[in-house]
Amino acid sequence: MMVFRTTTVLSLCLLVLGCASAKISRSSKEVMPVSYELLESARIVRSVGKLRRLAALPVQLGVSPENPKGCLGACGWVGLDRLIEEEAILFLRDKRGYEVVALQDAAAGGNAGFSPEELSQYARMLATNAREGTPDQPPDEVVTLVRRVGERTGVDGLLVIQGKATDMGLAEWGLAYASFSLTLPLSLMRMGVSLRADVFEAKTGRNVWTSTLSSGGVPNASEHYAMLLLGPIEPAVPRVLTK
Amino acid sequence: MRQVPYGADCKEQKFCYKGCLRVKIESEPIWGGVPPRQKHMNNRHRPPLNARGGLLFVCSFSFFAGRLYAKIAGIFFLPLLVWACNFAATPDPTHVEVPVTPLANAADQAVPVARQGVLLGFNLNEVGNIHLQVKSDVSPTLQIASYTTGREQMTLLVGCLVATGAGLVFVAPLATVPAAVGPLANTMAGAGASAVAVGEAWSLDSLLGSGRIKLLKDVVTSVDLVAGLQGALERFLGARDMALQEMQGGLDVVIAGYGFQTAKDGETCCFIDVRTLLKIPGCDQQEDRVFLGAEEPREPDLPPAYCTDLQRFLDEDGALARQALTDNAEIAAAVIAQRLQRRLR
């Protein structure tokens, strides 16, 4: 019995530790910027990196349990969406050389040309299209939307981050307690954060780059999900090679 | 490094430039080798040999002991043992000098092309023909703290724990069997667990680590940065063959260091350190430095260094590492050309 328990604990440790891994599931070769031209004498190979000016839409993060009171203690996902957005912008700017416009801040300040409500609606629409649409043949309304946002903000592409953060709810704790931890492994497996980042090309409205991240364990602000998610993105074309 | 306004002490107006900068490097020799080493990479403490031996002994003893609680205690010593083995096998993190190849170290075979009095030169903003000379006085540098990541080591530890625990489920009942079978089972279990731990530690660092070292060495020695930098400079400066007599100045471009280094956050960064020396008759020499790498603060006209996981650099036979090196040469050339454009006004 003792050995069985030890093995169970070790297996649970493996589950709780989890592992975060990001992978590029899509990267289009033919990408066209609109905000600059590459120097004729420059020879640098880039795909998504050509879109050096990006606009970041608000992060669309689904959470579970939806009611913060449903968590045992503080939910790990509280404030996580905003944190992911800020970290993504900082990472792209400081580590990969992109110029990133935070549309949420611009809309709140009245500088984006659309209201925060409109922006949320745009973000939801693009997130749905990223999940369910055909990347190379976006529907007309998506093309129109991406072009409109691109023209108003003067960017080469739009960055859409979406995902889900799942914490363990009170009900699951209760169930685990009642079942003598029998349901605990299932609850632990359900916990975690899954994210997806898509970049839409402003010129054509196509989805040209996708990265996904899956991370186990309690959603935790110190995990740097955005850095892990966007880690595989290539560096932007340096300003010195543009005109 | 200090930048001071240039102009007052330039005598010959023909080659004087308004508003240009002269860069003095005060604290280090001008063509001095590789970037400063990062202290944190030298401060790692290895467990002494007797400590590792002690761990091995405790681990083995607990497995060989007949008691179940001792076996379980052994499981918890295993990660420590594996860690110790890992640490012992980790390559020296301080500085791995890559063997110098004729391709990479071209100090004495600078690329300038002296074909019967014809040299490579350019003429920016009509200030006169300037001879362009690109060379390298260093071999590539690899300053990698560890060739295996913390995540890989953690995966190994957890995997080892679970595998050993699962194995014990089958072996433990044998311990209750009397006579000769019990000790035999204990011996086999202990030997097996130790072999797995040592084998995994060896495979992780010896196979994975040494494979990565070799691949990275191959990558840095296979890229001809001198040629790459010269080609890029020719394009950006519009350089062409000129007669020796037409030259009125010279631009020496020296690659003072390049390769890969571990940044403070543990990521691997591709870097290049290029020094330039502009010599115009009648004017002070102008020195400049373009360092693309994980060095803070970064100059405003330089993009951030490309830093990522070592494994990502080495995927697909080091394709990304090669591309990062050649991109760095391209960017450095563009920065040099842009700075010259500003100075030679």
Side-chain angles (χ1 to χ4, degrees):
Chain A
M1 193 61 193
M2 195 172 172
V3 175
F4 175 72
R5 277 187 190 169
T6 309
T7 312
T8 310
V9 168
L10 291 174
S11 307
L12 290 179
C13 284
L14 182 66
L15 286 173
V16 172
L17 273 170
C19 48
S21 58
K23 61 175 182 182
I24 299 175
S25 53
R26 176 178 177 71
S27 182
S28 178
K29 296 282 178 205
E30 297 299 321
V31 177
M32 290 293 291
V34 289
S35 71
Y36 70 94
E37 282 180 43
L38 202 63
L39 292 176
E40 289 89 359
S41 45
R43 305 270 185 280
I44 195 156
V45 181
R46 290 286 185 274
S47 54
V48 69
K50 286 181 189 165
L51 307 180
R52 57 168 282 112
R53 271 181 68 81
L54 290 176
L57 278 84
V59 172
Q60 302 295 299
L61 191 68
V63 294
S64 173
E66 290 184 4
N67 187 351
K69 290 178 183 170
C71 294
L72 187 71
C75 285
W77 47 256
V78 175
L80 196 60
D81 50 354
R82 192 70 183 144
L83 202 72
I84 289 172
E85 185 183 330
E86 287 169 4
E87 194 178 80
I89 292 170
L90 281 177
F91 176 79
L92 288 173
R93 194 186 65 199
D94 296 343
K95 299 282 186 183
R96 294 291 184 263
Y98 289 84
E99 292 175 29
V100 189
V101 180
L103 284 185
Q104 199 164 10
D105 296 342
N111 302 323
F114 31 76
S115 65
E117 292 76 27
E118 283 177 307
L119 186 64
S120 297
Q121 190 190 341
Y122 297 165
R124 278 197 299 274
M125 186 176 166
L126 289 179
T128 308
N129 179 262
R131 275 197 318 272
E132 299 164 4
T134 314
D136 283 330
Q137 293 170 328
D140 290 344
E141 61 266 26
V142 168
V143 175
T144 311
L145 170 63
V146 173
R147 281 183 179 161
R148 190 166 66 227
V149 176
E151 282 165 12
R152 285 188 189 175
T153 51
V155 296
D156 302 310
L158 305 187
L159 172 69
V160 180
I161 297 177
Q162 59 181 310
K164 182 157 191 186
T166 308
D167 210 334
M168 197 183 283
L170 276 175
E172 283 167 306
W173 279 114
L175 196 62
Y177 189 75
S179 66
F180 299 99
S181 304
L182 208 62
T183 59
L184 194 60
L186 286 176
S187 303
L188 290 173
M189 281 175 71
R190 229 170 59 82
M191 269 196 329
V193 174
S194 57
L195 290 173
R196 172 190 174 117
D198 295 274
V199 175
F200 289 83
E201 187 184 35
K203 190 170 185 177
T204 61
R206 289 183 308 137
N207 182 353
V208 293
W209 188 83
T210 302
S211 171
T212 54
L213 172 80
S214 180
S215 175
V218 182
N220 188 346
S222 62
E223 283 291 327
H224 302 297
Y225 295 113
M227 281 176 64
L228 293 168
L229 176 68
L230 297 171
I233 200 168
E234 65 181 12
V237 170
R239 184 195 287 273
V240 72
L241 296 176
T242 66
K243 59 180 181 183
Chain B
M1 185 186 295
R2 185 168 65 90
Q3 293 189 327
V4 291
Y6 175 80
D9 52 352
C10 183
K11 302 293 183 210
E12 243 185 71
Q13 290 302 311
K14 185 179 176 186
F15 296 111
C16 278
Y17 336 110
K18 288 176 187 170
C20 60
L21 295 176
R22 178 180 56 185
V23 179
K24 275 188 179 172
I25 299 170
E26 295 174 330
S27 58
E28 53 184 319
I30 265 199
W31 308 123
V34 295
R37 290 182 189 183
Q38 292 168 11
K39 281 183 182 173
H40 73 282
M41 290 197 292
N42 293 329
N43 290 342
R44 292 178 67 179
H45 299 289
R46 287 159 184 270
L49 195 62
N50 53 0
R52 294 201 296 275
L55 276 170
L56 184 64
F57 173 75
V58 169
C59 193
S60 307
F61 178 78
S62 59
F63 269 104
F64 280 78
R67 301 286 184 184
L68 191 59
Y69 65 82
K71 289 181 196 302
I72 292 167
I75 293 175
F76 289 101
F77 274 116
L78 255 184
L80 214 53
L81 172 68
V82 173
W83 171 79
C85 293
N86 264 334
F87 218 112
T90 302
D92 183 5
T94 51
H95 191 154
V96 181
E97 275 290 347
V98 175
V100 175
T101 65
L103 187 68
N105 190 7
D108 47 352
Q109 24 173 303
V111 173
V113 205
R115 292 192 300 273
Q116 298 181 348
V118 176
L119 294 171
L120 194 62
F122 60 93
N123 186 352
L124 271 186
N125 302 330
E126 302 303 323
V127 295
N129 293 340
I130 296 171
H131 171 218
L132 173 65
Q133 189 173 16
V134 182
K135 56 189 177 182
S136 170
D137 61 359
V138 290
S139 53
T141 307
L142 300 180
Q143 291 180 324
I144 307 295
S146 174
Y147 283 85
T148 49
T149 64
R151 199 177 126 204
E152 286 165 343
Q153 289 170 10
M154 179 58 78
T155 306
L156 172 80
L157 290 184
V158 174
C160 199
L161 266 173
V162 172
T164 313
L168 209 59
V169 172
F170 299 101
V171 177
L174 292 176
T176 58
V177 178
V181 182
L184 186 64
N186 287 333
T187 307
M188 286 176 64
S194 300
V196 166
V198 173
E200 290 211 35
W202 177 80
S203 62
L204 183 75
D205 269 315
S206 296
L207 292 180
L208 205 59
S210 61
R212 287 176 180 175
I213 291 170
K214 183 178 181 307
L215 181 54
L216 200 56
K217 278 181 182 177
D218 290 347
V219 167
V220 291
T221 49
S222 69
V223 176
D224 188 353
L225 269 198
V226 174
L229 187 62
Q230 172 159 328
L233 278 167
E234 283 177 39
R235 277 185 274 114
F236 288 121
L237 296 170
R240 58 189 167 80
D241 287 348
M242 293 177 177
L244 180 60
Q245 298 81 3
E246 295 174 12
M247 297 298 179
Q248 291 154 319
L251 174 69
D252 288 346
V253 180
V254 179
I255 298 174
Y258 70 97
F260 292 86
Q261 62 184 165
T262 305
K264 283 175 188 166
D265 59 4
E267 284 192 317
T268 303
C269 302
C270 181
F271 78 93
I272 187 169
D273 185 3
V274 182
R275 317 289 172 98
T276 63
L277 183 64
L278 181 63
K279 294 173 282 190
I280 303 286
C283 295
D284 286 351
Q285 292 184 349
Q286 294 185 60
E287 295 148 11
D288 195 7
R289 182 188 187 211
V290 176
F291 183 85
L292 290 166
E295 188 179 74
E296 298 290 343
R298 177 162 50 91
E299 293 185 56
D301 59 346
L302 298 179
Y306 187 28
C307 304
T308 188
D309 296 342
L310 180 63
Q311 180 53 43
R312 194 168 291 147
F313 271 125
L314 297 179
D315 281 346
E316 296 175 28
D317 203 24
L320 188 58
R322 276 190 192 85
Q323 190 190 331
L325 284 169
T326 49
D327 281 358
N328 268 358
E330 182 85 5
I331 296 165
V335 171
I336 290 168
Q338 195 181 58
R339 289 182 182 178
L340 275 176
Q341 284 276 8
R342 282 202 300 264
R343 286 174 185 173
L344 299 177
R345 277 181 187 154

